[in-house]
Amino acid sequence: MEKKFIERYGSLKKIEPLKSITDDAVLPNTLAFECPSPFPGYYGSKPTEEIPLYVYFILDGYFHLEDLLLIKEDIKKVVDFDFHATICALEFFDETFNAIRVRHVEDYAKLRKLQQLFVEHGIHFHKKSRKYKYIEDAFIRIKKFFQLEEIEPGRFFDLVEHDHGYIKIDQHLEMNDFLEIARQVDYNLDIIDYDAALASYFEDYKVHDMIRIYTEKISKELLQNIKVEYEKKIKKLLS
């Protein structure tokens, strides 16, 4: 099969625990969270306290992705470290918050500097609150650009995050249905630890649904095995 590369815009949806960042790693009186377990289904993941894997700066209102991308490029010209930033929405405690998700920052010392630069570019952050210390299950919807290699019809490798793969599904799933199906698939597949999340991209004025698979041992065979199991469970759900 000839290699097929695609670049699409879409989103990633998942449930994660969050804890507030309370020290001087962020600006005073601002609300920010980190994810202590960004891949809760993958037990081989070994996050360290020295590296902020996923950080969410909570915004004081809505902010356009286009504006953030322009600001991000300006900031990258003046800092000596790499980072990735995108817009997302978080839902917990029956509330919805807009946020900037930041990753690929080398250490906590750089977070505050990055946040200050966001402020200097006109971004306003939500005030800190003791109400939001720990969130057990936050629903997170992340705006995302996908750069994928289609290895087989309906199966993709991520060209940026090399331990991520995607399987395309024909049926749109709500989060509750996905979580139940994912639990059943995990029970039936006694193969390897991995984490799954919902994803989608836009093409031809349509939403194309996928499941994101994370594991350091990603392979064509593993994606195919998972794809078969998900198709079985989705078909059973709809029957």
Side-chain angles (χ1 to χ4, degrees), residues 121-176:
H121 282 76
I123 295 178
H124 302 283
F125 293 105
H126 195 289
K127 289 185 178 180
K128 184 178 178 180
S129 172
R130 293 183 179 180
K131 178 182 177 181
Y132 310 112
K133 287 186 177 181
Y134 183 80
I135 316 299
E136 185 173 355
D137 293 308
F139 174 53
I140 305 174
R141 187 192 303 262
I142 303 160
K143 294 185 177 181
K144 182 176 175 63
F145 291 95
F146 296 95
Q147 291 178 291
L148 306 175
E149 175 191 352
E150 188 171 27
I151 53 175
E152 296 287 349
R155 286 183 287 154
F156 306 89
F157 283 154
D158 194 310
L159 295 174
V160 178
E161 303 291 339
H162 298 297
D163 44 16
H164 290 192
Y166 294 84
I167 56 176
K168 193 171 181 180
I169 55 176
D170 295 328
Q171 176 65 32
H172 176 75
L173 296 176
E174 297 298 332
M175 181 56 72
N176 288 339

Side-chain angles (χ1 to χ4, degrees), residues 7-225:
E7 184 172 354
R8 299 288 185 271
Y9 172 68
S11 67
L12 187 73
K13 295 181 286 186
K14 53 185 178 177
I15 303 290
E16 288 183 346
L18 299 175
K19 67 176 183 178
S20 63
I21 301 176
T22 56
D23 56 24
D24 59 0
V26 297
L27 294 176
N29 199 29
T30 61
L31 185 61
F33 294 96
E34 62 180 330
C35 183
S37 179
F39 303 107
Y42 179 53
Y43 304 107
S45 182
K46 298 179 181 179
T48 67
E49 294 183 357
E50 293 78 18
I51 302 175
L53 295 179
Y54 289 82
V55 172
Y56 299 88
F57 293 130
I58 306 303
L59 296 166
D60 185 20
Y62 183 78
F63 202 81
H64 292 284
L65 177 60
E66 176 185 0
D67 294 334
L68 177 65
L69 293 176
L70 291 170
I71 290 171
K72 182 179 72 172
E73 292 307 309
D74 284 344
I75 291 176
K76 284 192 171 185
K77 296 174 184 177
V78 300
V79 297
D80 59 355
F81 57 89
D82 189 27
F83 70 94
H84 180 274
T86 190
I87 294 293
C88 65
L90 285 67
E91 297 179 18
F92 52 84
F93 298 163
D94 294 323
E95 298 179 79
T96 299
F97 300 86
N98 296 295
I100 298 175
R101 189 192 73 165
V102 174
R103 60 190 176 110
H104 296 322
V105 176
E106 297 172 354
D107 58 65
Y108 285 95
K110 295 181 173 62
L111 279 179
R112 183 166 176 161
K113 179 178 180 180
L114 180 58
Q115 192 183 17
Q116 179 61 46
L117 287 168
F118 283 141
V119 170
E120 292 174 7
H121 282 76
I123 295 178
H124 302 283
F125 293 105
H126 195 289
K127 289 185 178 180
K128 184 178 178 180
S129 172
R130 293 183 179 180
K131 178 182 177 181
Y132 310 112
K133 287 186 177 181
Y134 183 80
I135 316 299
E136 185 173 355
D137 293 308
F139 174 53
I140 305 174
R141 187 192 303 262
I142 303 160
K143 294 185 177 181
K144 182 176 175 63
F145 291 95
F146 296 95
Q147 291 178 291
L148 306 175
E149 175 191 352
E150 188 171 27
I151 53 175
E152 296 287 349
R155 286 183 287 154
F156 306 89
F157 283 154
D158 194 310
L159 295 174
V160 178
E161 303 291 339
H162 298 297
D163 44 16
H164 290 192
Y166 294 84
I167 56 176
K168 193 171 181 180
I169 55 176
D170 295 328
Q171 176 65 32
H172 176 75
L173 296 176
E174 297 298 332
M175 181 56 72
N176 288 339
D177 289 334
F178 166 71
L179 292 175
E180 176 58 26
I181 290 173
R183 185 190 65 81
Q184 295 178 22
V185 171
D186 289 346
Y187 182 80
N188 288 344
L189 276 180
D190 185 21
I191 45 175
I192 192 172
D193 292 331
Y194 68 92
D195 181 69
L198 277 175
S200 61
Y201 66 87
F202 310 123
E203 185 179 22
D204 296 331
Y205 302 99
K206 296 179 182 178
V207 176
H208 299 263
D209 293 283
M210 302 186 294
I211 296 170
R212 188 271 285 139
I213 303 298
Y214 163 74
T215 173
E216 294 176 354
K217 298 183 180 180
I218 198 77
S219 69
K220 293 181 181 181
E221 293 74 21
L222 177 62
L223 285 180
Q224 178 61 19
N225 290 338

